[in-house]
Amino acid sequence: MRTQVGIIGAGPAGLFLAHLLHRAGISSVIIESRSREEVEGTVRAGVLEHWVAELIKDLGLGERMLREAHFHDGITLQWNRQRHHVDIAALTGGKHVTVYPQHEVLKDLIAGLLARGGEILFGARAAAIHGADTETPSVEFCRDATNTSEMLHCDYIAATDGFHGPGRQAIPAAKRVEYQKIYPFGWLGILTKAPLSWHELIYANQQDGFALLSTRSPDVQRMYIQCDPADDIAAWSDARIWDELHARLDTEGWALTEGPIFQKGIIPLRSFVCETMRHGRLFLAGDAAHIVPPTGAKGLNLAVADVRVLSRLLDAVHKTGDLSVLDRYSATCLRRIWKAERFSWYMTTMLHKNDEDSDFERRIHFAELDLIRTSESSARSLAENYVGLPFDNGHE
Ligand code: RFL
Ligand code: PHB
């Protein structure tokens, strides 16, 4: 098989890339190890930055999002049993928080790509990347259905294969510098069949730690609580989960609305960046190159930002034949990545209870929250980061 860009992974990074390349007249094939049903059924992120929602519309894929997503003017922060509304729309000249689940975005991207003649090989696992630093790279893959090895020959390879995929390891270890921070807490996430409890997301830091109230649809709600990342989910009965959610989210005269819990799981929290993101004709994008803790709602958005850069550079090469523009890929992406890493770390440290913190640090976190309540420039900084920083024109 032959194509211009071989893409490993049909997550947000791989699928947005295929659409952007298609729009530029560049062919691609996506190799995805999971089935379409599994990709479309995995519950992950919920919040889109303003420009990502605009991009979905620009790509002609926004019809369902416009009908089904929730568009919020802001977010609510809660501490000391008090709530504070951060008016993101007012602070950013009218930008909104779009709550539209990642798997719904993926359904729209997959259907749209297939309708446009795009090629996605589901149930096909990339096993090895060959000749990344040559002019003739290829991806060796194996389809579940046949269990035989095949080759995808291409001009460029995009490894959009997530944190555990083989892409990053194909960059020689001596060329890679990896930065990592593991947090001493995780998130227990649930889906519950219940009506909306509050009109926007609530990020709470109460005595027992962090909780987040989010939504999926008018009758399905998404909620998270801080827990020990080593906890066994079996130790968390529904009753225990509701007790903790009430303890962290309820305020005087207001209580969360309960419903049956139909999905629950625990994820660890980490920050990770791999520098460089390129080796010859191999490019890493999305979680393959970086991870953020979910408190800033940045992971999916950052994956799309990477492939926005990559598609523009590949389009420039396609038009001019000048390969030297590709030298800008890593540095251009990393400028935005480190700002998202900073914001995600800041939201995480400010909003969680860390048993390793001293009382002094705990007081500092509450002072940071109070600064957002009382200082417009602090609130604006949070708002700008939350809805997505502007692009660094000329550099991205
Ligand atoms: P993905 O989504 O992991 O997709 C990678 C794909 O590659 C496939 N793959 C392979 N295919 C072929 N051959 C191989 N050898 C392969 N190895 C792997 C995998 O099957 C998969 O389909 O990476 P991508 O595209 O970089 O996208 C990243 C995002 O998924 C991730 O950052 C977000 O989900 C993070 N995240 C959030 N991001 C946001 O922007 N806003 C949020 O509100 C938000 N909330 C969250 C989140 C992540 C969470 N979890 C579960 C970690 C909330 C949570 C709880
Ligand atoms: C979600 O709805 O899953 C969600 C929302 C905001 C976050 C993280 C996850 O910061």
Side-chain angles (χ1 to χ4, degrees), residues 44-47 187 201 203 212 214 216 222 224 294-297 386:
R44 293 184 80 180
V47 176
W187 277 17
L201 270 61
Y203 289 83
L212 167 60
S214 181
R216 282 295 176 268
R222 179 77 162 148
Y224 299 96
T295 331
Y386 196 84

Side-chain angles (χ1 to χ4, degrees), residues 23-64:
R23 190 166 72 171
I26 300 172
S27 68
S28 67
V29 171
I30 305 183
I31 296 170
E32 166 57 54
S33 53
R34 295 182 297 157
S35 68
R36 179 172 178 179
E37 294 64 40
E38 214 180 322
V39 170
E40 292 184 344
T42 306
V43 177
R44 293 184 80 180
V47 176
L48 306 180
E49 290 184 356
H50 184 83
W51 71 273
V52 174
E54 292 298 307
L55 176 61
I56 291 172
K57 287 191 254 169
D58 282 356
L59 288 168
L61 301 168
E63 198 201 329
R64 207 162 61 90

Side-chain angles (χ1 to χ4, degrees), residues 9 12-13 32-34 44-47 102 126 161 287 297-301:
E32 166 57 54
S33 53
R34 295 182 297 157
R44 293 184 80 180
V47 176
Q102 176 165 331
D161 51 352
D287 280 12
K298 285 282 156 272
L300 177 156
N301 297 294

